[in-house]
Structures are given as C-alpha cells and as structure tokens.
Amino acid sequence: MSVTIDDVTYIAELARLRFSDDEALKMTDELNTILHYVDTLNEVDTEGVLPLSNIHDQKNVLRADEEHEPIANAAALSNAPDSQDRFFRVPKVLG
Amino acid sequence: MKYELVVGLEVHCQLNTKSKAFCGCSARFGNPANTNVCPVCLALPGALPVLNRQVVEDAVKLGLATGCSIAPLSVLARKNYFYPDLPKGYQISQFEEPICLEGGLRIDAGEGERHVRLIRIHIEEDAGKSIHDIGDDTFIDVNRSGVPLLEVVSYPDIRTAKEASVYLQKLRQIVKYLGISDGNMEEGSLRCDANVSLRLYGDEEYGTRTEIKNMNSFKNVEKAIEYEAERHRQILEAGGAISQETRLWDADKGETRSMRGKEFAHDYRYFPDPDLVPILVDEEMLERIRLELPEFPEARAERFVQEFSIPAYDAGVLTVEREVADYFEELAGLAKDAKVASNWVMGEVLRTLKEKYLSIEEFIVTPVRLGGLIRMIASGAVSNTIAKQVFELMQESDASAEEIVEREGLAQVSDSGAIEAVVDGILAANPGQLAAYREGKTKLMGFFVGQCMAKMKGKANPQMVNEVLVKKLGA
C-alpha cells in the first residue's frame, strides 16, 4: 500500500494541518516508508483470526452509574484562550 | 402519484442515566453552563474515559425490546471531525461492531400493521452545545458533552410521512416503558433525522436521498417529510436530479433548506478507540435483563381485556403510557368495577392532567383516593354528577372522598319521603307543564326531573326521582 501527494493533502485538510509543497512531498515519502514497513504484516496468515480492536486482554471495564464531583467552572475555563461568563468563547461558527 | 416515498429514520435517544457515558459528571439537563464538567468530558490531556455500566444495560434493554440480536462483543470507535462543541476532536460512537443488530418495530398508521426493520442500535456520546445567537462569537457549553445516547437506525422501510411519525411515537413509547429515557422530542431527548427519497412505483432501486435534520416534534417530522417529498417530486417531474445533501427543517417557514458551508465529504476515519476495551454482553447479563423487561403495551392491553373485561379500545388508551396503565391497574383493583375505573381514568383523570399540565405521577388524586370515591358511587352514597364535584374538591386537599362528602353535605338523598315531598312541591308549582304532560307532552318528563334535581342541589338519587315522578304523573 502507498499514498500519493493528493492523499496526503486530503488527510492534512481533514486533520486541519497545513503543509507547504515541499513538506507535503516529504510527508508522502515518509508515510510511504512507514506503510511499506507495516506491509510486512500482510505476509502473516490471519485466516480465522478475529480482528484486534484493543491490545489489552480486557473486556467490560465499566463504572457504576454514579456522579462524581465536577471541577469548578473557573477551573474548567482557566486554560481556554477565550471565555466569557461561564462559557468558552470561540469565533462565530455560523454566520 | 407515480412516485413512491421511501424514508429511513435515524433516531437519537438520550438516556436518563445519572452520570455521563464516560465520566461521572452529572448528565442532568439545565445546570449552569460548564459546571457538569471534568477532565474527561473537557478532553484535557491524559484523561481516560470509562464506560458507564447503565448505558450498556439500557442499550441491551432497547435491543431486546425491538427484537435485535445483541452482539456478544462490541467495540467503541472514534468518529473524527472538528467542531468547537466537540472538545476531543472525535465523538465516541460505535461503527463496525454496534451492540444491537437487525431488529424491527411493528407499527400501525391506520392502514394495517407494518414492520419497519432496524439496521442497528449503537451507543454514542452527545456533543456539547453551541450558542450562536449572542453577540459576534459562538459560546460553548460542555455540560451535554458525553451524555449517553442510543442511535436507532431503521431500514428505508417507511412509506408515508404518517408512518414516520407513528414509528417515532412507537419508539418513544418503548423507551418510556423501559424507563431508559424521557423520550421528550421538544426538549431534545428524542432527536430524529430522516433520509427521504422518491422512486417510481415498481422500481427496485432507491432514488437519491436527502437527509433532513432539526425536526423537534412528531408533527414537524410529518410536515418536513411531506415538504421534502413534494420538493423531490417537482424536481424529478421537471427532469432534474436530486443532489444528495443535508437539509435543515425550518418549522416557522415550513420548508427545508440546504445546510450552508462547503460540503466536505463526510470522512470520519472511524477506528476503534484504544482508550476503551470491548463491551462484552454474556448470557448471564442477557438473561438478567430479559427478566427485568417490563410488560409491553400490546401485551398489557391484552391482559387488561382478559383480566378486567374492559373493551379493547379502553385497554389501548390506558396502556399508551406506562404510568397511566399502572394507575389504572391499581385503581381497578380498589374500585371493584373495572369499567367504571376505566371511564374515570380515560375521562376525568386524563382530562384534568391535560388541562393542568400534570403528569399522572404528580396527580394528587391517587388510585387509593379515587377508588374510595368510585366505591361511594357504587354503594349509592353519591350520584355520578355529585361524584364529579367531589373529584374536583379532592384536587384541593388530600381529604378522602368520604370526608369531603360529609363536610360539604353532598351525600345522595335516597329517602323516598323527602324525594316525594320535593316532587309534590314541583308538580304543584308548575300546573301548566303538568297539564301539558297529561295531554301527551311526555317530553316534559325531563323538565320535571331537572326541577327536582335543582331543588335538591343535585343530591337526589336520580333513579328514585324518576320512579317517584313516573308514579305521580301517571296518577
């Protein structure tokens, strides 16, 4: 499997990343190196093996439906670039 | 109409758990902004989600109630997209391996019973809330972020707008019977998106669909689908093509409109969430939940007909809501006469609740109190008419029917001497009507009964008044 520069540009856009042309080329090369490396895994016979969704051999790590103490509003907002009253403030999303 | 309407619904049902899906913050609606928050739902670095057991159980309940098969193992996945009210940059949902698969609902929109198949039910979390209409910026409240939802996805088996609304009402009834959601559309605990398309009758293939969002009542779901179907029809008739897009229903204008902004191909790049381990539903859990399932409306209505000998119509009305059915069942046991109990619940009780915007659980006239009143009617202690007055008075305090009748002097007069005296007085006071009656105007019977009842302030035993009148007038 390999990717083209168009794939990289598309994925970058979805991830809200901006690359210069040079960077995009470099990324394409690097991604392809990684993909080719991982390709080795395709040589393993996985017939009858269930897809692995998690590397831990654990199931059902669940908590009881109980409330904990929330953090204070001021603490919640303390790292936000911008806030007003009790809210996070961001640039207008809809016009 | 040569086109057949094809609709599939995606319904988001907000669960009524105490805490959120992946953290212990309160899931309560209406708290001050950004106060039900913690590192997990704020997506602070290093915070790890842990799934709420109740969410799994609620999903299994709904799956069993809708005939789904429950996946022994299911997986939570990340749905990646950017929006300010989604702090993590992804929503935890289920993709390839949802918890419930392939069920169905039986609905009847007035043209016989139909089966709408379900593709799946999966667990996901709600996003936060964006507020766009204050000032020049957007304001974000993360309280709702992480509140558990079940998404119920139907096959495109719905054929009319009415069916869509009946399907939704059925789903609402089920989640309310299960007690897993309050099912309130106006408040957003039941949200519905509709995929609408048209095809020529007889066609196998589906037409291009549009997705409608933002319908916040059963009525609006119907109206929006009707509007959209008509819009499709006009485009197709004019030789045009439908463009696949998401449209918002505007209830004020009664129209759908295209959502603005550039149409980014939805590419959510789902993948299993490495922070969460698979959900295992074993036989033991399945069996336990199966035993906990309530009796559903149809079965309960059938039992009411058998057990209480009430008409099927009554049983249907009484079982629409579980709480009403509970109320009736308790009352029927206390009142002895189930049909009278049914009349009271369907009549006075439901009317009063509607007028006063009350739910039956907060209604002050409990089955025990109403049962007391109905027993007084049965024993002849009060007439039906007076009983309605007593019922009104019972809503003002918690006094029993007996106490109120005693206090207000409303006991029915069944003393034949007293009634005869009143009848004699009325006949003597109305010689003209008496003469006319004897000349054949027998319709005046009603007039005399009315006069006697008025004179006795409604408290006379009406049957006795009738009998005495018949006797005296015949003489």
Side-chain angles (χ1 to χ4, degrees), chain B residues 238-295:
Chain B
I242 308 295
S243 54
Q244 186 167 340
E245 60 177 354
T246 302
R247 299 176 68 86
L248 280 185
W249 169 246
D250 183 330
D252 296 328
K253 294 196 178 123
E255 60 182 35
T256 63
R257 59 165 185 272
S258 189
M259 275 175 83
R260 296 187 304 122
K262 69 176 160 185
E263 262 314 301
F264 226 105
H266 287 307
D267 187 343
Y268 294 123
R269 294 149 292 144
Y270 285 94
F271 64 91
D273 191 327
D275 288 344
L276 290 151
V277 299
I279 303 166
L280 178 79
V281 179
D282 57 18
E283 272 306 315
E284 189 195 325
M285 182 178 189
L286 215 51
E287 211 34 55
R288 179 172 53 76
I289 293 176
R290 197 173 270 135
L291 289 172
E292 280 172 17
L293 289 182
E295 184 183 25

Side-chain angles (χ1 to χ4, degrees), chain B residues 290-346:
Chain B
R290 197 173 270 135
L291 289 172
E292 280 172 17
L293 289 182
E295 184 183 25
F296 285 107
E298 295 79 10
R300 197 163 192 189
E302 219 165 280
R303 181 169 61 79
F304 280 3
V305 170
Q306 298 290 326
E307 200 171 317
F308 299 116
S309 307
I310 57 171
Y313 172 81
D314 291 31
V317 173
L318 293 167
T319 51
V320 169
E321 285 190 47
R322 181 180 178 175
E323 292 77 11
V324 172
D326 291 345
Y327 183 100
F328 165 75
E329 191 157 4
E330 190 181 346
L331 179 66
L334 294 163
K336 307 294 181 235
D337 188 331
K339 177 58 189 158
V340 174
S342 159
N343 289 346
W344 273 85
V345 176
M346 293 198 302

Side-chain angles (χ1 to χ4, degrees), chain B residues 71-87:
Chain B
L73 204 64
S74 73
V75 172
L76 293 157
R78 294 186 180 179
K79 176 181 180 177
N80 299 282
Y81 66 94
F82 287 109
Y83 204 78
D85 60 20
L86 189 75

Side-chain angles (χ1 to χ4, degrees), chain B residues 55-176:
Chain B
V55 173
V56 177
E57 302 214 348
D58 289 355
V60 172
K61 278 183 199 166
L62 186 57
L64 290 175
T66 52
C68 289
S69 43
I70 310 299
L73 204 64
S74 73
V75 172
L76 293 157
R78 294 186 180 179
K79 176 181 180 177
N80 299 282
Y81 66 94
F82 287 109
Y83 204 78
D85 60 20
L86 189 75
K88 293 192 296 296
Y90 58 86
Q91 177 193 29
I92 303 176
S93 179
Q94 296 194 291
F95 186 57
E96 282 176 322
E97 297 173 81
I99 189 159
C100 311
L101 282 162
E102 297 292 336
L105 287 185
R106 300 207 163 274
I107 59 162
D108 190 342
E111 286 163 36
E113 196 171 77
R114 292 205 49 236
H115 188 241
V116 177
R117 293 167 303 149
L118 300 184
I119 298 175
R120 58 192 274 154
I121 299 173
H122 69 248
I123 294 170
E124 63 183 34
E125 60 174 342
D126 211 340
K129 197 173 162 55
S130 304
I131 296 151
H132 303 294
D133 47 10
I134 327 173
D136 295 329
D137 295 316
T138 291
F139 293 83
I140 308 292
D141 176 5
V142 183
N143 279 354
R144 205 181 59 186
S145 159
V147 167
L149 306 174
L150 293 179
E151 179 171 341
V152 183
V153 185
S154 86
Y155 279 93
D157 285 352
I158 292 164
R159 291 290 172 270
T160 66
K162 177 80 189 160
E163 274 181 15
S165 136
V166 170
Y167 166 88
L168 258 182
Q169 289 174 50
K170 185 81 208 169
L171 200 53
R172 174 176 185 269
Q173 185 184 43
I174 292 173
V175 298
K176 290 191 72 179

Side-chain angles (χ1 to χ4, degrees), chain A residues 2 11 17 19 21 24-25 27-29 32 41 48 51-53 58 61 68-69 72 75 82-83 85 87 94:
Chain A
S2 60
I11 295 163
L17 294 172
F19 294 140
D21 291 351
L25 266 176
M27 283 293 162
T28 312
D29 283 346
N32 278 329
L41 287 175
L52 181 74
S53 60
Q58 277 180 309
V61 177
H68 68 190
E69 200 55 43
D82 197 5
S83 64
D85 302 323
F87 292 92
L94 287 175

